[in-house]
């Protein structure tokens, strides 16, 4: 598999696989052989709506739809008690009209939870600024040992050998400092009897030297209105490149999950030769 098409690669040359191909550069000595350098994010849908239609209020459904789309249509139709579907609209047409009318609160009923991996701490710092309609749970650097951390290469660096080497050398040095600091802090606070607490004290201080590029994992749950607002801001050309790449991946995922609710987003190749997206209905 070509490097650009992979999620990332391990520094180890010992375990080649199609997901983590062998790197084409010398392996730095201090990053462990199993360190993964992410070249793109990995998104997995954890939860999606399961619509349960009430038998006493059946809707005359037309056309294809997913549970999330039906949930939103059901909620919208309840407002006018139009379950009979007098205009003979397909779910996709109905939701198109909802977006056009700016009736975005109807989309708030459909929530999607996504496991996000292979993203940097700087990306999640930006992501969690999106508050309304969102819930987050992120890997804790105070509890989790980062001496075996993985890293995310900034998109602008990928493909330039000299920049990649310089970046990896800095990452390597930061990780070395982290490991040393944890060891020394464990010694310094050896009088703390509770070992779990002592480790936490060491890790929470040592993480200060880890780079923004340190890989993190986060579960994000958002309703469709919130997803749309976040994707509008983060898939645009003005967004930072890593979160923009993430937003494009997330947009494609949402377009599969609930096509009618994201059909007005259009992905295109921007002048900077990276993908961006624009949309038909701004902040509904
Ligand atoms: C390209 C770009 C550059 C950025 N640069 C910076 C920067 O330099 N510094 C920085 O600090 N941030 C920056 N941000 C983050 C930005 O300021 C927002 O925090 C982020 O985009 C989340 O937007 P939001 O508040 O609209 O989203 P959400 O919190 O998800 O809110 C969605 C919408 O709900 C409504 N809403 C939410 N909370 C409230 C509230 N408390 N009161 C009233 N209405 C509310 C608003 O209409 C809001 O737009 C940047 C964002 C982008 C996209």
């Amino acid at each position: 598999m070509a490097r650009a098409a992979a999620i990332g690669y391990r520094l180890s040359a010992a375990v080649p696989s199609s997901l983590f191909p062998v790197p084409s550069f010398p392996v730095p000595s201090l990053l462990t052989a199993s360190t993964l350098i992410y070249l793109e994010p990995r998104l997995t849908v954890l939860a999606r709506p399961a619509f349960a239609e009430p038998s006493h209020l059946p809707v005359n459904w037309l056309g294809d739809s997913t549970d999330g789309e039906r949930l939103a249509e059901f909620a919208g139709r309840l407002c006018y008690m139009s379950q009979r579907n007098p205009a003979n609209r397909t779910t996709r047409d109905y939701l198109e009209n909802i977006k056009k009318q700016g009736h975005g609160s109807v989309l708030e009923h459909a929530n999607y939870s996504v496991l996000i991996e292979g993203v940097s701490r700087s990306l999640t710092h930006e992501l969690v600024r999106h508050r309304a309609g969102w819930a987050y749970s992120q890997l804790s650097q105070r509890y989790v040992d980062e001496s075996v951390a993985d890293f995310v290469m900034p998109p602008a660096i990928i493909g330039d050998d000299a920049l990649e080497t310089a970046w990896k050398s800095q990452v390597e040095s930061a990780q070395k400092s982290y490991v040393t600091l944890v060891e020394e802090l464990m010694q310094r606070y050896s009088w703390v009897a509770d070992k779990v607490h002592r480790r936490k004290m060491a890790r929470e201080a040592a993480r200060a030297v880890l780079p923004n590029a340190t890989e993190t994992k986060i579960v994000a749950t958002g309703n469709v209105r919130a997803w749309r607002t976040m994707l509008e801001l983060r898939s645009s050309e003005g967004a930072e490149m890593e979160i923009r790449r993430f937003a494009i991946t997330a947009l494609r995922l949402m377009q599969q999950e609930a096509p009618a609710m994201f059909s007005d987003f259009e992905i295109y190749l921007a002048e900077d030769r990276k993908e961006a997206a624009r949309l038909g209905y701004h902040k509904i």
Side-chain angles (χ1 to χ4, degrees):
M1 185 186 290
R3 238 182 76 181
I7 282 176
Y9 55 83
R10 293 206 184 278
L11 289 176
S12 166
V15 217
S17 78
S18 57
L19 186 60
F20 308 125
V22 180
S24 58
F25 53 85
V27 176
S29 57
L30 289 169
L31 294 176
T32 67
S34 62
T35 300
L36 177 58
I37 303 294
Y38 278 93
L39 300 177
E40 61 182 61
R42 179 176 204 163
L43 273 61
T44 312
V45 176
L46 296 176
R48 53 176 69 89
F51 177 63
E53 186 174 18
S55 56
H56 62 289
L57 279 180
V59 169
N60 178 23
W61 307 107
L62 293 175
D64 290 337
S65 53
T66 64
D67 275 18
E69 291 167 322
R70 282 192 177 205
L71 176 57
E73 177 174 351
F74 184 89
R77 289 198 176 281
L78 187 85
C79 300
Y80 303 122
M81 291 302 278
S82 66
Q83 292 86 359
R84 263 192 329 109
N85 194 354
N88 285 317
R89 279 200 169 119
T90 63
T91 297
R92 308 257 149 106
D93 285 345
Y94 181 84
L95 292 173
E96 185 64 24
N97 192 49
I98 287 279
K99 289 184 296 186
K100 195 168 154 193
Q101 302 297 330
H103 198 178
S105 61
V106 160
L107 307 188
E108 289 177 23
H109 295 288
N111 280 262
Y112 291 87
S113 300
V114 176
L115 166 65
I116 302 164
E117 302 170 278
V119 293
S120 68
R121 292 279 298 193
S122 54
L123 183 148
T124 55
H125 185 78
E126 294 189 354
L127 182 64
V128 300
R129 293 295 299 276
H130 296 276
R131 304 155 290 173
W134 286 100
Y136 303 102
S137 301
Q138 180 168 13
L139 178 153
S140 165
Q141 282 189 325
R142 297 177 68 209
Y143 283 88
V144 177
D145 177 19
E146 292 284 39
S147 55
V148 288
D150 295 324
F151 298 93
V152 179
M153 186 176 286
I157 288 178
I158 296 171
D160 183 307
D161 284 349
L163 290 178
E164 285 193 12
T165 305
W167 176 83
K168 278 193 290 263
S169 150
Q170 290 301 313
V171 164
E172 179 184 11
S173 155
Q175 195 173 36
K176 186 187 173 197
S177 302
Y178 172 86
V179 171
T180 308
L181 265 174
V182 170
E183 282 167 10
E184 287 180 4
L185 285 161
M186 287 297 280
Q187 291 290 326
R188 181 174 191 193
Y189 292 102
S190 55
W191 49 269
V192 177
D194 181 345
K195 205 172 172 192
V196 173
H197 185 56
R198 197 177 348 137
R199 258 200 234 112
K200 194 162 53 123
M201 288 170 77
R203 287 173 184 167
E204 71 191 14
R207 70 172 168 168
V209 299
L210 286 172
N212 269 343
T214 307
E215 190 255 349
T216 186
K217 300 178 195 303
I218 188 167
V219 172
T221 299
N223 67 57
V224 165
R225 192 183 206 181
W227 273 102
R228 284 183 55 96
T229 303
M230 184 277 285
L231 291 175
E232 177 177 354
L233 288 167
R234 302 302 182 176
S235 65
S236 73
E237 291 184 45
E240 186 270 344
M241 230 174 242
E242 189 198 345
I243 200 165
R244 178 171 143 196
R245 180 179 65 183
F246 154 80
I248 295 292
T249 305
L251 172 57
R252 290 201 164 102
L253 202 60
M254 289 300 134
Q255 284 181 326
Q256 281 170 21
E257 289 290 332
M261 298 197 269
F262 294 91
S263 57
D264 56 317
F265 279 86
E266 183 204 353
I267 297 171
Y268 65 97
L269 199 63
E271 245 182 71
D272 58 14
R273 300 184 194 162
K274 304 282 182 195
E275 286 181 318
R278 52 189 161 227
L279 79 174
Y281 304 111
H282 161 67
K283 203 178 179 191
I284 55 173

